[in-house]
Each structure stands twice: as structure tokens, then as C-alpha cells.
């Protein structure tokens, strides 16, 4: 039996507070997108511009880093693949980080970019930072989980994805309404 009472999901508060909370909820993923986007762009550019990193061997090189972590990684076969061509692998990681960072920052193909970011972070965790003890000292695992909300939710606000979606909806609506007039 209904008694005519509303069962709101929020406790009774002034309308201004509810509006603020709704706005905060709506835009909650924007700071995460900005942080991950900027961080991954920086990481990619840092690798591409570091002449020591983009070498097969030598101090600070991708090749030496892969050889050092090979025996302590969770999946040595991944490291072995990277060691077949360390410079190409380093370039692929750097370009992947750039693409993921730009996608996240601009909100373009955000779910795909976030999945790429999660996979990069997972592969780095399983290889480079696997031996961190305790595990939470390795930074790649938290990055992987930071990408998960963006994989699930995408970038519904302040993004190119939202602009594209809104434009498509407007065009669909215009097509539907113009078809009624014909």
C-alpha cells in the first residue's frame, strides 16, 4: 500500500546541497582522467626523449632494465620478448603511453585508452615492479586499478567522447523529427 511518501536516495537536505552532490558525482572521474592522462603523456615523452633509455645496453637503458628484472618477474616470457628488441619495445611502450595519455586527457575513445593504460600497467607490474616487497611499493598495480573506473564508465563529461555522442544524438533527433514532417 502506498502512503504517498517519496523514498529519495539522499537524506533530506536543502536543494543546493543536493545539486552540489549531483554535480560532484557527475564529474568525479574528471580529476582521475586528468591525472592519468598527464602522467602517461609525461611518462611516454620522458622515455622517448631519454637517450640513455632508448638503448640496448648501458646505464639507464631499457635493455639493461629488462635484463635486471627478467629473473624476478612474474612472467619472464614477456621480458624475453622485450629483450629480442629492447629499443623497439621501449618505443612501443612510450608510444602506447602517449596514445593512452592523450586519449584519457582529451576523453577520446576513453574506454579503449583506459583499457590500454590498464594493460600497460599490468604488463609493467608483472615484469618490472613484480619483485617490489611488499607489493604495494610497486606503483604499477595501483595505476592498473586507477584505470578500471575509466574502462567501466568512460568519459561522459568534458570529453570529445561526450561531444561526439551529443552530436550524434542531435543528428538522430533531427532526422527523426524531419522525417515526421515529410
Amino acid at each position: 500500500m502506498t502512503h504517498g511518501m517519496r523514498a529519495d536516495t539522499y537524506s533530506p537536505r536543502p536543494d543546493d546541497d543536493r545539486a552540489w552532490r549531483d554535480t560532484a558525482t557527475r564529474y568525479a572521474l574528471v580529476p582521475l582522467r586528468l591525472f592519468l592522462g598527464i602522467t602517461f603523456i609525461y611518462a611516454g615523452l620522458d622515455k622517448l626523449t631519454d637517450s640513455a633509455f632508448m638503448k640496448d645496453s648501458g646505464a639507464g637503458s631499457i635493455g639493461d632494465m629488462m635484463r635486471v628484472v627478467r629473473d624476478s618477474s612474474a612472467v619472464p616470457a614477456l621480458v624475453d620478448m622485450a629483450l629480442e628488441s629492447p629499443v623497439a619495445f621501449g618505443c612501443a611502450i612510450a608510444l602506447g603511453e602517449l596514445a593512452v595519455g592523450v586519449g584519457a586527457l582529451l576523453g577520446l575513445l576513453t574506454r579503449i585508452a583506459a583499457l590500454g593504460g590498464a594493460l600497460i600497467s599490468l604488463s609493467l607490474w608483472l615484469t618490472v615492479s613484480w619483485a617490489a616487497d611488499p607489493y604495494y611499493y610497486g606503483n604499477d598495480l595501483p595505476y592498473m586499478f586507477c584505470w578500471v573506473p575509466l574502462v567501466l564508465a568512460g568519459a561522459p563529461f568534458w570529453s570529445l567522447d561526450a561531444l561526439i555522442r551529443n552530436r550524434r544524438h542531435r543528428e538522430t533527433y533531427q532526422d527523426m523529427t524531419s522525417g515526421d514532417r515529410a
Side-chain angles (χ1 to χ4, degrees):
M1 181 171 174
T2 306
H3 297 288
M5 296 180 66
R6 285 179 47 181
D8 288 341
T9 56
Y10 299 116
S11 59
R13 297 192 191 272
D15 286 340
D16 289 343
D17 186 42
R18 181 174 293 142
W20 181 89
R21 287 175 19 152
D22 288 346
T23 300
T25 300
R26 185 176 299 120
Y27 297 107
L29 293 178
V30 172
L32 183 62
R33 250 185 54 222
L34 295 174
F35 170 75
L36 290 171
I38 291 168
T39 301
F40 269 60
I41 289 171
Y42 177 77
L45 289 174
D46 188 45
K47 288 174 181 67
L48 289 173
T49 59
D50 184 353
S51 59
F53 181 79
M54 288 296 177
K55 291 187 177 175
D56 286 335
S57 62
S61 69
I62 181 73
D64 279 3
M65 181 177 66
M66 290 287 108
R67 282 185 279 284
V68 167
V69 301
R70 194 235 176 254
D71 292 334
S72 63
S73 74
V75 187
L78 286 177
V79 179
D80 290 339
M81 279 188 342
L83 284 170
E84 288 178 20
S85 182
V87 174
F89 176 75
C91 283
I93 289 291
L95 293 173
E97 287 172 337
L98 275 175
V100 162
V102 168
L105 192 61
L106 298 178
L108 180 62
L109 303 172
T110 309
R111 286 189 168 118
I112 294 169
L115 181 60
L119 291 174
I120 288 170
S121 297
L122 175 64
S123 67
L124 292 174
W125 176 60
L126 290 173
T127 56
V128 178
S129 62
W130 178 259
D133 187 30
Y135 74 93
Y136 51 82
Y137 280 170
N139 63 349
D140 297 308
L141 185 60
Y143 275 106
M144 183 186 74
F145 282 103
C146 284
W147 285 110
V148 171
L150 295 175
V151 170
L152 297 174
F157 302 101
W158 291 354
S159 66
L160 292 177
D161 288 344
L163 287 173
I164 293 166
R165 183 183 62 249
N166 291 339
R167 185 176 186 177
R168 284 184 184 155
H169 285 157
R170 273 194 311 274
E171 289 172 358
T172 302
Y173 178 76
Q174 288 171 351
D175 289 346
M176 288 172 42
T177 58
S178 67
D180 291 341
R181 292 182 196 147

